[in-house]
Amino acid sequence: MTDLTLTPVQTRQSHIGKAVLRWSLYILLGVFALFYLMPLFVMVTTSLKSLEEIRTGDLVALPREVTFEAWRTAWSSACTGIQCEGVRPFFWNSVLIAIPAVTLSTLLGAMNGYVIAQWRFRGANLIFSLMLFGCFIPFQVVLLPMARLLGMMGIAGTIPGLIFVHVIYGLGFTTLFFRNYYVSIPAELTKAAKVDGAGFFRIFWSIFLPLSLPIIVVTVIWQFTQIWNDFLFGVSFSQAGTQPVTVALNNIVNSTTGVKEYNVDMAAAIIAALPTLLVYVVAGKYFIRGLTAGSVKG
Amino acid sequence: MTKWLEEHTPKLVLAPSFVAIMIFVYGFIAWTAWVSFTRSRLLPKYEIEGLIQYERLMASPRWETALNNLFVFGALFIIIAMVLGLLLAILLDQNIRTEGAIRTIYLYPMALSMIVTGTAWKWILNPGLGLEAMIRGWGFESFTFDWLVNPDMAIYTVVIAAIWQSSGFVMALFLAGLRSVDQEIIRAAQVDGIPTWRVYTAIIIPSMAPIFLSAFIVLSHLAIKSFDLVIALTGGGPGYATDLPATYMYAMAFSRGDIGQAASSAMIMMMVVFAIVVPYLYSELRSKDD
């Protein structure tokens, strides 16, 4: 018992020790925060500088003179190969790809998850396992046959072709999300509704859909982030006019002609990143839930 | 008829997705596997010729570099991201008042495209105007940090950028794990006067083994699939010093017109992924059925 009673001097010392520990903890956390923020900070400041200032100035210095010239160039006149229209047309390509692909894959995932979780039949679990394994394949293994198939279907290098690819390879994850969500809803609910004479779609529409808002948000955010940030499918299955924004950004940055305009590169990178960053800031909670659900599974 | 339809609606709803997965995942894997055993070059051929493509792979110095890079990059990326993620999670677990904001800052890179990440780090690490020039400008004239253009060091720039992008996510995983440890046990240990660091090393961290496994699976999966980051950051260069299997496969498929090499390298990538993921998924699915 004696060692628990401290003299006043000892308590004061331990108070000081605690405060020091506390402060160093906050400082350490702050240093790491700087590490994560630094690239974003450098991107933003560089995009607001003139090329002249970039050549003479400091990497992390604030711009002496703020100019939006680089943003204008990046948006509407930077060269992505032979085309010099900025990232604007490609930004809209990404929108045109993402919206239908996210909608379709979420819808299909909801129906699949509903069937697998609530209308169990023989083989349903095997089908689910097969779909789950499909989430993990490296897509390189399907690139060659997919390129040939898109060619045969006459949609190679088109936006519908890319939508098709994203829907197919998004199905595994969207099904997983909804299945894991619906599995926790008691089967008695479906049974009772069946006794009352409600059919398959009626039950989905009036019982399950109204309960699904959180998982719809998680799935939509997950799919949107995946599809917007995709590069592999975009670069493999698009042509000059149908490339998504990630491919256009890479072309701007790695085009070898002319003077390297770092400020334009950075502005283009921020433009390409804005939609997913916005989603993250607005709905970060759901974004994290999707990430962890996609990796740990519920 | 309507009765039959009613009975089979669930199966009919699932059928299109099932067929799609069977064709576009498993059928396509089979196609790639088949072609990897042929002499296909610019066009696919379908006569089986044995392991010729795999022998060509093994003989290719570029493939050897790609495989070596995968091991160097993968090992460093996984280990550092896990250590950093765990450290950040433990630091954040000390009743930090601004936890929400700090977590948001640590995790936002995960929302970015690898192409954006690569573009940003390419600019920061370029020796002419980036970090090196900045520190020289501060008076350290002989400071050199040219990893990005140094063939022996360039792969480490990929490691840096990849860790920057993914470590926050590992932190989120570990933080969720720390929160799920039984608080009673921790309190009991504290009452017994066991120092905090011992509580972590002896009680909390060992109880998070499943989280370590998930983090490992996710990170190794990310490492093997890494493609965009290398393309944006180094383009596989200098030369092919930072090639990974994914960039090798892409180069063979779409710029070299060597379908046989593309198929066989893709198959090896898949085997590496499956060697890691299949035992994990198998045990997960089994434990769920029990």
Side-chain angles (χ1 to χ4, degrees), chain A residues 22 29 36 130 141 169 254 280, chain B residues 24 26 32 104 106 108 167:
Chain A
R22 206 77 197 142
L29 285 170
Y36 288 105
L130 285 171
V141 87
Y169 295 109
N254 290 316
Y280 175 67
Chain B
F24 300 118
Y26 296 95
T32 305
T104 306
Y106 289 177
Y108 85 90
S167 49

Side-chain angles (χ1 to χ4, degrees), chain B residues 191-207:
Chain B
V191 170
D192 284 349
I194 297 169
T196 315
W197 67 270
R198 281 287 295 161
V199 176
Y200 274 104
T201 53
I203 302 172
I204 300 177
I205 292 174
S207 75

Side-chain angles (χ1 to χ4, degrees), chain B residues 265-277:
Chain B
S265 54
M267 287 312 290
I268 293 194
M269 286 179 67
M270 200 187 69
M271 284 184 256
V272 176
V273 171
F274 271 35
I276 296 169
V277 168

Side-chain angles (χ1 to χ4, degrees), chain A residues 99-169:
Chain A
I99 291 176
V102 170
T103 314
L104 276 174
S105 57
T106 306
L107 215 66
L108 284 168
M111 296 307 284
N112 293 342
Y114 168 58
V115 171
I116 293 171
Q118 295 283 332
W119 296 78
R120 292 164 192 223
F121 52 83
R122 244 163 47 111
N125 261 336
L126 177 70
I127 292 177
F128 179 58
S129 309
L130 285 171
M131 293 181 96
L132 202 55
F133 275 108
C135 297
F136 285 95
I137 58 163
F139 290 130
Q140 277 78 9
V141 87
V142 297
L143 280 189
L144 290 167
M146 188 49 102
R148 294 183 69 75
L149 180 88
L150 291 176
M152 283 192 276
M153 286 164 65
I155 51 173
T158 66
I159 286 182
L162 276 170
I163 295 171
F164 174 76
V165 173
H166 281 299
V167 170
I168 296 289
Y169 295 109

Side-chain angles (χ1 to χ4, degrees), chain B residues 49 53 72 86 105 108 114 144-145 186 217 246 261 287:
Chain B
E49 297 273 354
Q53 295 298 347
V72 171
L86 181 63
I105 291 171
Y108 85 90
M114 294 272 198
T144 308
F145 191 62
I186 299 170
I217 299 285
Q261 282 294 283
S287 65

Side-chain angles (χ1 to χ4, degrees), chain A:
Chain A
M1 277 318 276
T2 44
D3 55 10
L4 274 178
T5 50
L6 299 167
T7 64
V9 178
Q10 274 172 313
T11 22
R12 198 172 316 134
Q13 270 175 347
S14 80
H15 272 306
I16 294 169
K18 250 190 197 142
V20 169
L21 212 66
R22 206 77 197 142
W23 272 103
S24 31
L25 181 66
Y26 274 97
I27 289 169
L28 203 56
L29 285 170
V31 169
F32 278 114
L34 284 182
F35 166 67
Y36 288 105
L37 283 174
M38 187 269 289
L40 187 64
F41 173 79
V42 168
M43 281 166 86
V44 173
T45 52
T46 304
S47 76
L48 298 174
K49 291 174 186 172
S50 65
L51 262 189
E52 181 51 35
E53 200 184 328
I54 290 173
R55 273 198 218 95
T56 54
D58 202 278
L59 181 70
V60 295
L62 286 168
R64 280 192 299 271
E65 228 175 294
V66 172
T67 162
F68 290 95
E69 202 43 48
W71 282 75
R72 219 163 296 137
T73 311
W75 180 243
S76 55
S77 66
C79 294
T80 53
I82 44 166
Q83 228 177 332
C84 291
E85 298 167 43
V87 292
R88 181 175 49 190
F90 307 100
F91 188 93
W92 294 123
N93 283 346
S94 277
V95 173
L96 285 179
I97 294 165
I99 291 176
V102 170
T103 314
L104 276 174
S105 57
T106 306
L107 215 66
L108 284 168
M111 296 307 284
N112 293 342
Y114 168 58
V115 171
I116 293 171
Q118 295 283 332
W119 296 78
R120 292 164 192 223
F121 52 83
R122 244 163 47 111
N125 261 336
L126 177 70
I127 292 177
F128 179 58
S129 309
L130 285 171
M131 293 181 96
L132 202 55
F133 275 108
C135 297
F136 285 95
I137 58 163
F139 290 130
Q140 277 78 9
V141 87
V142 297
L143 280 189
L144 290 167
M146 188 49 102
R148 294 183 69 75
L149 180 88
L150 291 176
M152 283 192 276
M153 286 164 65
I155 51 173
T158 66
I159 286 182
L162 276 170
I163 295 171
F164 174 76
V165 173
H166 281 299
V167 170
I168 296 289
Y169 295 109
L171 271 182
F173 269 113
T174 57
T175 303
L176 168 74
F177 285 157
F178 280 98
R179 182 263 181 200
N180 285 355
Y181 187 77
Y182 288 151
V183 120
S184 60
I185 295 174
E188 283 71 34
L189 210 61
T190 311
K191 263 183 215 140
K194 263 196 275 189
V195 171
D196 287 347
F200 176 86
F201 291 104
R202 179 74 199 283
I203 297 175
F204 179 71
W205 188 255
S206 43
I207 299 179
F208 283 84
L209 210 55
L211 293 172
S212 307
L213 190 63
I215 198 64
I216 292 175
V217 175
V218 168
T219 311
V220 165
I221 288 178
W222 169 270
Q223 279 297 91
F224 178 74
T225 312
Q226 292 294 309
I227 294 169
W228 187 273
N229 287 344
D230 161 71
F231 179 74
L232 182 61
F233 288 147
V235 75
S236 305
F237 302 136
S238 66
Q239 299 169 344
T242 59
Q243 287 157 337
V245 69
T246 47
V247 178
L249 169 63
N250 188 54
N251 287 343
I252 289 178
V253 175
N254 290 316
S255 70
T256 42
T257 49
V259 193
K260 275 230 94 354
E261 296 182 289
Y262 296 105
N263 48 0
V264 174
D265 292 355
M266 291 305 121
I270 300 170
I271 293 171
L274 267 182
T276 48
L277 263 186
L278 201 70
V279 167
Y280 175 67
V281 169
V282 172
K285 193 177 77 179
Y286 294 99
F287 175 78
I288 297 165
R289 210 184 288 175
L291 273 179
T292 41
S295 54
V296 203
K297 354 200 272 67

Side-chain angles (χ1 to χ4, degrees), chain B residues 30 42 54 70 87 95 102 109 112 139 148 160 167 182 195 251 273 290:
Chain B
L42 202 56
Y54 294 92
L70 177 63
L87 175 74
N95 290 318
I102 295 177
L112 302 179
L148 194 63
I160 295 173
S167 49
D182 190 355
V273 171
D290 289 342

